[in-house]
């Protein structure tokens, strides 16, 4: 019954590693390892955008020495790519709303939908984004400049367009 569900992106990338290096334990773990390493500077720059360089360095250090991150980065599973897509999706969403950037809103939708493609638990990030938008509209707080219908429609349009094949 699950034959209509497309394979995870990690599976495609691991297949490419198998094609390049042969089928082995090393090549099966290569993709999560590389993605786990890439996740550290991505998280640094995402946190630095929201806070400051010292906070971002501390967060990146915590991720770099986190036993769970190290474990999943050497395991032939999808978790590191899921975390990377989550991080990029939420970061671009924040940038799109705070800086009034429709491109960032669209990229946010792309990365969040890639996260959903990677694993269904990523739908929780979509709930977080929707909850944020709902709370910003309902409560009387200072609205960020990008909280405009144009950016929301770009986000929704890209999300729906990517969700249809899924």
């Amino acid at each position: 019954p699950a034959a209509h569900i497309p394979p995870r992106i990690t599976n495609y990338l691991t297949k490419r590693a198998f094609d390049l290096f042969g089928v082995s334990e090393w090549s099966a773990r290569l993709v999560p390892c590389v993605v786990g390493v890439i996740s550290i500077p991505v998280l640094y720059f995402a946190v630095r955008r929201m806070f400051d360089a010292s906070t971002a360095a501390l967060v990146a250090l915590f991720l770099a020495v986190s036993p769970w991150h190290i474990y999943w980065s050497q395991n032939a599973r999808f978790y590191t790519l899921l975390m990377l897509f989550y991080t990029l999706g939420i970061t671009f969403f924040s940038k799109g709303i705070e800086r009034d950037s429709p491109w960032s809103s669209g990229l946010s939708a792309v990365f969040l939908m890639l996260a959903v493609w990677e694993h269904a638990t990523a739908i929780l990030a979509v709930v977080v984004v929707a909850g944020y938008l709902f709370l910003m509209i309902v409560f009387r707080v200072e609205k960020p400049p990008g909280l405009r219908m144009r950016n929301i429609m770009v986000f929704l349009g890209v999300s729906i367009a990517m969700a249809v094949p899924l």
Side-chain angles (χ1 to χ4, degrees), residues 8-9 19 23 29-31 37 46 53 64 66 86 88 90 110-111 116 120 125 132 138 143 150 161 163:
R8 293 186 171 112
I9 299 164
D19 293 344
V23 177
R29 295 173 185 236
L30 179 64
V31 170
V37 170
S66 165
Y86 253 101
L88 289 169
I90 295 299
V110 167
F111 284 115
V116 169
Y132 171 81
V138 168
K143 308 285 191 257
R150 175 190 67 177

Side-chain angles (χ1 to χ4, degrees), residues 36 40 57-71:
I40 296 167
L58 186 62
V59 169
L61 175 67
F62 284 157
L63 182 64
V65 299
S66 165
W68 276 102
H69 187 67
I70 293 168
Y71 175 77

